[in-house]
Amino acid sequence: QVSVLYFARSAELAGIRCETLSMPRQITSLQLWEEIVKVHPRLADIRDQVVFAVRQEYVLLGDQLLVLQPGDEVAIIPPISGG
């Protein structure tokens, strides 16, 4: 079980700000993203712009292997614009 936090546009698309999801203990960052998109298909719209953080460390979507612990925090952070 991991806590998934949604920020800005990702929260709008998911319709929530946070939730707990069951994930395999070992999973690649891309597989983790795909599992989240299965729950919230509208998130696929921001795949190429999203910043992903696991345990408050940025992770690129790809084949990087993550070892998740119960209660780990996963954040979905779309690009933030400002001036």
Side-chain angles (χ1 to χ4, degrees):
Q1 301 259 336
V2 297
S3 296
V4 183
L5 308 177
Y6 302 93
F7 294 93
R9 180 106 172 98
S10 68
E12 292 172 22
L13 292 171
I16 57 172
R17 295 222 170 263
C18 103
E19 68 183 332
T20 300
L21 296 176
S22 294
M23 294 289 164
R25 182 170 157 76
Q26 293 192 18
I27 191 169
T28 68
S29 56
L30 183 58
Q31 289 169 330
L32 178 58
W33 170 253
E34 290 169 347
E35 289 298 315
I36 293 169
V37 169
K38 282 182 191 174
V39 179
H40 302 288
R42 294 177 62 202
L43 290 173
D45 293 350
I46 60 170
R47 183 206 188 281
D48 294 333
Q49 302 130 13
V50 76
V51 175
F52 206 48
V54 177
R55 293 183 296 272
Q56 299 181 354
E57 290 187 24
Y58 292 119
V59 175
L60 295 175
L61 294 183
D63 58 4
Q64 177 181 351
L65 184 63
L66 305 172
V67 179
L68 300 174
Q69 303 295 327
D72 274 355
E73 193 175 84
V74 176
I76 311 299
I77 309 164
I80 312 259
S81 61

